[in-house]
Amino acid sequence: MDKYCKISKKCGGCAYQGIPYEEQLRKKETQVRKLLSDICPVRPIMGMEEPYHYRNKVHAAFARKHDGKVISGVYEEGTHRIVPVESCLIEDEKADAIIGTVRSLVNPFRIRIYNEDSGYGLLRHVMVRRGFQSGQILVVLVLASPILPAKNNFVKALRKEHPEITSIVLNVNAKRTSMVLGERNIVLYGKGYIEDTLCGKTFRISPQSFYQVNPVQTEKLYGKAVELAGLTGKERVIDAYCGIGTIGLIASGRAKEVIGVELNRDAVKDAIYNARINGIKNAKFYAGDAGEFMTVMAAEGEKADVLFMDPPRAGSGEAFLSSAVKLGPEKIIYISCNPETLARDLRYLKKKKYEVKEAWPVDCFAWTNHVESIVLLSKLKSNKLKHIDVELEMDELDLTAAEKKATYQEIKDYVMEHSGLKVSSLYIAQVKGKCGIIERENYNKAKSEDAKQSQCPAEKEAAIREALKFYGMI
Ligand code: SAH
């Protein structure tokens, strides 16, 4: 019997609540199959055995109600109202318990809660990360100022309730922004990061670094990715969008050389450190935009044998892909968390002399409508190229049409990823209206003349416009 969450409608995090898990898997597989129908065969989805409490990173926003009660949870969709969350079916239970303890310590320690409207107050968010294999736990207190009164006693009280906590960090975020973490970290206790083991390697994960949230499925995901690469020990491998170096370092034992590139400097530092603690000597990591990095490599006439690429939801785009093609890897392993941008990028590579062999959907996000996929591409031998040239014209037409459209969900995801803001369909419709994009559905019209509708705030409007620009809609 599936478990049921009472607050799922308000929280909005689990779009597949109420749908049996097996059916969720079928829906995700069908979605990938549909999007890639003209591109490649899609293998059966790899599902979870225990689809609960898998999220190893939990984050909660804090607020104080009028009666003085402290609540923590997630923002209700399209608002800055907090939906209180005390326990969650997909989050790590220990992390939820720690956040509950922080909530209970706020009043005794007289900690002021940050008020988004006035900009006054101290505590904004709490983030907890737990190493699935190591059991290490990092608690990040996001405060508007670097000074936490009675910090030593606070740390003591928190550790007394949860002796398993291995590190506590104060993250300073003084900006009027919806981004959760600021840039500065002050370690209050422990090492300031956690370590975890994945596919037999140890990884340091700093507060700001990306790390897959579902550790059990991630092992399946990376295991399959490395298997598809078919490495023999002679290859020069690129790990693009490498985060803390996971995929490249896992593959390094079967390759001659690994080169990783990643935008987030903290993650790159983690990757370099991770190579060292695992005794890996054939891996190098660079900080920078993956597209620019590939362009420079291609311009310098560099070559690569295998390319792993694992971009964020927006996908990769032409600057990266055109240079990737110039580098000419025999195999590309594309790991994607957004099948729509994946399809777009695969169409491009298909035009550029790559054969898209097969796709493997993996469920890393049970109860949500998100799905991860791995795709294997291989470079066509020159005698097959003629056939591809004929296909090219049709694909080109498809690509332009596809690029002009983005679903509401894609726009929401883009905005969330790039500005950390949750935006409603209503707001998107309002901005589309302002930009002269005609709406079929009347999201932007009030039902009756005197009905009042909330208007999209300027900050969100700017973020939505950016997404519309990205998708070539304005
Ligand atoms: N492969 C890693 C990380 C994947 S998530 C893992 O599995 O853990 C995507 C990563 O791409 C994030 O770490 C993000 O910081 C990084 N990223 C986003 N935009 C980028 C860009 N333009 N160039 C390089 N890296 C980028």
Side-chain angles (χ1 to χ4, degrees), residues 198 208-212 218 221-222 239-247 261-264 267 288-292 309-313 315 320 335 337 372 417-418:
L198 201 62
Q208 269 95 344
S209 298
F210 175 89
Y211 187 58
Q212 285 278 1
T218 301
L221 185 77
Y222 293 166
D239 179 5
Y241 310 89
C242 68
I244 59 169
T246 40
I247 300 171
V261 57
E262 159 66 43
L263 197 56
N264 178 335
D289 171 76
E292 280 173 23
M309 54 182 288
D310 186 8
R313 290 189 61 76
F320 178 95
I335 299 164
C337 54
E372 199 83 21
E417 193 157 303
H418 288 78

Side-chain angles (χ1 to χ4, degrees), residues 47-110:
M48 296 177 62
E49 268 141 49
E50 176 56 37
Y52 298 104
H53 303 296
Y54 57 84
R55 277 194 73 97
N56 59 9
K57 178 170 113 177
V58 177
H59 134 245
F62 275 66
R64 190 185 292 282
K65 290 184 37 175
H66 293 302
D67 62 5
K69 192 175 170 221
V70 178
I71 57 168
S72 70
V74 293
Y75 293 116
E76 192 176 333
E77 192 176 357
T79 75
H80 267 213
R81 267 196 309 274
I82 287 177
V83 184
V85 179
E86 291 183 7
S87 66
C88 164
L89 288 178
I90 64 172
E91 290 172 356
D92 182 88
E93 287 173 294
K94 187 79 220 170
D96 282 345
I98 292 171
I99 290 168
T101 303
V102 174
R103 228 175 18 240
S104 73
L105 292 176
V106 166
N107 283 341
F109 277 83
R110 295 170 185 270

Side-chain angles (χ1 to χ4, degrees), residues 13-17 19-36 42-48 51 54 90 214 217 337 339-340 359-373:
C14 290
Y16 283 0
Q17 262 287 321
I19 301 175
Y21 185 57
E22 282 304 316
E23 201 180 318
Q24 295 175 33
L25 291 176
R26 275 200 303 281
K27 273 172 89 85
K28 291 182 186 187
E29 192 181 301
T30 307
Q31 185 203 2
V32 176
R33 201 154 264 154
K34 239 178 171 170
L35 285 164
L36 305 188
V42 176
R43 308 290 175 212
I45 189 165
M46 290 187 240
M48 296 177 62
Y54 57 84
I90 64 172
N214 184 331
Q217 292 303 95
C337 54
E340 299 192 0
W360 292 81
V362 182
D363 186 26
C364 295
F365 314 106
W367 306 101
T368 78
N369 53 359
H370 294 281
V371 58
E372 199 83 21
S373 314

Side-chain angles (χ1 to χ4, degrees), residues 182-244:
E183 282 168 18
R184 187 169 160 209
N185 291 320
I186 302 166
V187 179
L188 301 182
Y189 169 72
K191 296 181 290 197
Y193 55 83
I194 57 163
E195 284 168 335
D196 200 17
T197 308
L198 201 62
C199 300
K201 300 269 185 295
T202 303
F203 294 97
R204 171 177 96 178
I205 309 142
S206 295
Q208 269 95 344
S209 298
F210 175 89
Y211 187 58
Q212 285 278 1
V213 295
N214 184 331
V216 175
Q217 292 303 95
T218 301
E219 287 212 321
K220 293 187 196 166
L221 185 77
Y222 293 166
K224 180 53 82 183
V226 174
E227 177 197 315
L228 290 174
L231 297 168
T232 64
K234 294 192 193 123
E235 294 83 0
R236 183 178 213 209
V237 170
I238 294 181
D239 179 5
Y241 310 89
C242 68
I244 59 169

